[in-house]
Amino acid sequence: MRSRRPNAGLVDEEQEYLQTPEPVPVPERFWSFETDGPFERCLVCHRSFRDEPVPYLIEKAYERDEVVLELAVCAICQTEMMREFSEASLKLMQHFIGEHVDVEAQMRQFSEQFAGDVEPWVSKCLIRRSPVDPKAGYRVAARCVGEVLDTRFPPNAISVAALEDMMKILSPQTKGFLNDFTEKYFGVPTGNDVPTILPV
């Protein structure tokens, strides 16, 4: 019996998704600020999203409506990163999100109402359900596959205030990993209580 190639499940998932009708190209809102075009590679492993298409996460952090940090991380690296989170942090984050977000209802609403414009979905904080404040800062996120938006997962925005709430429940181990991550890839000094990017 022929064995499956490594990560074949993720690639097969992407290919299956691309067969759905009328795929939505990655919106400009989620293009790279530095290149003024779609992200092409994973920040961590440099895997090409075109040559070896896999699902990936895009996050962009804003302050006063200006992009201050951005990243695109493939699902494979994101899984590896989550293994660095403490078990306690993972459980607390799951509970925190469950308390504030009706995930199934949100996905159903997005499926029924999305018409190609992501702005209505990134104009309010996912956690606090209030409009994001550009002056206070916020981050937006979306999942993509290849060159299209993965419409199974609604794009979202989280305010800095909500990120602060999330950081308060994380263990020192998890905070340390996030600080090390931001320092390694963005040059942000360690010791910050609230990394601008939360790659989860």
Side-chain angles (χ1 to χ4, degrees):
M1 180 177 178
R2 187 176 181 180
S3 62
R4 290 169 63 88
R5 63 190 184 282
N7 305 319
L10 291 173
V11 176
D12 291 345
E13 177 185 351
E14 188 271 347
Q15 292 172 342
E16 179 181 353
Y17 175 76
L18 290 179
Q19 294 174 2
T20 60
E22 300 183 6
V24 179
V26 176
E28 290 188 21
R29 172 70 120 126
F30 290 100
W31 285 9
S32 169
F33 173 77
E34 292 186 356
T35 65
D36 196 28
F39 286 91
E40 296 182 353
R41 295 183 179 277
C42 173
L43 173 70
V44 178
C45 70
H46 307 296
R47 175 181 281 104
S48 170
F49 298 139
R50 309 296 173 259
D51 298 339
E52 186 184 348
V54 295
Y56 58 98
L57 171 72
I58 295 173
E59 290 203 25
K60 301 177 72 172
Y62 289 82
E63 291 181 5
R64 298 185 181 277
D65 270 342
E66 293 186 359
V67 178
V68 293
L69 288 177
E70 60 180 17
L71 62 77
V73 178
C74 74
I76 299 167
C77 288
Q78 188 182 8
T79 298
E80 292 298 318
M81 292 165 64
M82 294 300 290
R83 290 175 179 167
E84 299 294 331
F85 281 41
S86 69
E87 184 176 350
S89 290
L90 291 174
K91 289 181 178 179
L92 287 170
M93 285 184 63
Q94 184 178 17
H95 179 71
F96 179 88
I97 293 173
E99 278 191 324
H100 294 86
V101 183
D102 187 335
V103 177
E104 291 186 2
Q106 184 204 30
M107 294 177 69
R108 182 170 58 253
Q109 182 182 23
F110 182 73
S111 175
E112 295 172 351
Q113 299 180 9
F114 180 63
D117 182 10
V118 299
E119 289 307 313
W121 305 94
V122 297
S123 61
K124 290 186 177 182
C125 175
L126 177 68
I127 303 299
R128 297 198 168 188
R129 303 177 187 175
S130 57
V132 294
D133 181 358
K135 293 182 179 179
Y138 63 100
R139 80 98 168 102
V140 297
R143 295 189 179 277
C144 303
V145 280
E147 299 180 349
V148 300
L149 185 70
D150 189 342
T151 52
R152 296 171 300 175
F153 303 97
N156 65 75
I158 299 181
S159 66
V160 165
L163 285 172
E164 290 176 347
D165 291 341
M166 295 177 69
M167 290 300 296
K168 289 176 182 177
I169 66 175
L170 300 183
S171 68
Q173 172 188 331
T174 302
K175 287 182 180 179
F177 166 73
L178 290 173
N179 283 327
D180 290 347
F181 180 89
T182 55
E183 182 177 38
K184 178 178 181 179
Y185 292 102
F186 303 108
V188 178
T190 57
N192 292 345
D193 289 333
V194 186
T196 309
I197 290 288
L198 186 63
V200 295

